[in-house]
Structure formats: structure tokens, C-alpha cells
Amino acid sequence: MRLITYLLLPLFVIGLSMPVFANPQFENMLDELLERSVPQITTDALAAELKTSKKPPTLLDTRPEEEYAVSHLNGARRLGFRDFTLDRLAGIDKDAPLIVYCSVGKRSELIGDKLLAAGFTNVRNLRGGIFQWANDGRPLVDAKGATKAVHHYDRKWGQWLDAKVPTVR
């Protein structure tokens, strides 16, 4: 019994230090898709930061209005993607903590690059975006309040949402 404990304990500890994703294929896709030019934050780390931070980061949704309207993270500001403009960040300190997100993280990474180039110093990209946030069962809101629905973008990308997450197109 002790031999098994000694052999399995290191594997267990290593497993605890690695992020857990419900869908390994989704994680592999993210590794291939994201260039990691913007530091990433996991949904677990962001949830903890939002819960414990005295000054939580500003959440910036980089999706278009029709996706944002279906659902977004509570307190998020829509920054946009095709209609992105730095004017929407007027009044935000260049050193303020910013979290950018989109459906899975690619569009937000591109906007994050623009923010870094504009002199913002504390920008992080939500790894897996709103899809991972919803897959984790974390809270979402729309204009009326709490919701569970997510805009699935299109059939190709919508496949990364768990079947339990209601989708809207």
C-alpha cells in the first residue's frame, strides 16, 4: 500500500498544479489557435480574482453587439472587435488590470495586442473565453439579468460549448 501511495502521490500533486479543462480537445485547439502574445488567465484564476480582489480587473468583451447582448460576464464592458476603438477606454489608467475575452480567445488576443501596443501594461486574455466560462458553469448576464445562454458564433466554433449550455445564434 505504501508503495502505491509513493508512486501515485507525485502524479496526484502534478495533476493538482495543472489547469483542469472539461474538454481536452478544446484545450488542444486553444494551444494551436492562440499565439500567446498576450498573457493568459484561466477561468479559475479569474473567478478567484474577481471574488477576492479589492480592486477587480476591468472586463472587456471583444465580441460584436449581437454576441454581447446574448450574454457576457457580469460587469463587462463591450469593447468590440471590428468596431474596436481606443476611445472606449477613455478614463482607464494605462496600468489598470484589464481582462479581454471573446468566444474562445483569438479575437480578444488580437485586441489585447492592440491594447499593449497602445501602452496598456496589465492586459490578460481569458483562456477559452466565454465558452470556457460557460462550460465551467460560471455566471453570465444579459440586459435582463442572469442567463445561461451563450451566442455560439457559428457551427464550427459552437462545437466547443458543452451540450448543457443553451446556445443562441
Side-chain angles (χ1 to χ4, degrees):
M1 183 65 161
R2 285 185 185 198
L3 180 60
I4 292 173
T5 302
Y6 288 122
L7 291 174
L8 294 179
L9 185 60
L11 294 174
F12 178 73
V13 171
I14 290 168
L16 286 179
S17 67
M18 297 174 63
V20 176
F21 293 91
N23 186 334
Q25 290 83 17
F26 184 52
E27 180 64 14
N28 291 337
M29 182 277 300
L30 291 175
D31 284 339
E32 293 173 14
L33 178 72
L34 302 178
E35 296 173 18
R36 299 180 191 220
S37 58
V38 178
Q40 296 181 29
I41 183 169
T42 65
T43 57
D44 288 340
L46 177 57
E49 192 171 324
L50 291 172
K51 189 181 287 188
T52 62
S53 179
K54 290 181 180 166
K55 185 169 186 212
T58 299
L59 304 174
L60 301 170
D61 191 315
T62 64
R63 300 173 303 147
E65 180 61 39
E66 61 271 14
E67 293 178 51
Y68 179 86
V70 171
S71 66
H72 50 274
L73 277 62
N74 192 26
R77 297 167 65 166
R78 193 183 83 77
L79 194 55
F81 182 70
R82 285 194 174 92
D83 62 340
F84 166 77
T85 173
L86 284 171
D87 294 340
R88 291 188 180 139
L89 295 170
I92 294 182
D93 185 74
K94 296 271 185 168
D95 296 321
L98 304 176
I99 305 294
V100 290
Y101 73 90
C102 62
S103 296
V104 297
K106 184 59 179 179
R107 292 176 289 177
S108 52
E109 180 178 55
L110 295 171
I111 296 297
D113 282 334
K114 290 180 180 185
L115 295 176
L116 290 168
F120 288 91
T121 62
N122 193 357
V123 180
R124 292 172 288 167
N125 187 17
L126 182 60
R127 183 172 177 82
I130 198 169
F131 284 12
Q132 186 64 49
W133 189 266
N135 289 345
D136 292 344
R138 300 195 191 284
L140 297 168
V141 298
D142 62 15
K144 297 177 185 174
T147 185
K148 294 192 180 295
V150 174
H151 190 289
H152 77 288
Y153 187 69
D154 66 18
R155 188 175 296 175
K156 175 185 173 189
W157 294 106
Q159 72 176 320
W160 300 114
L161 279 164
D162 285 347
K164 67 182 180 204
V165 177
T167 60
V168 174
R169 172 92 167 96

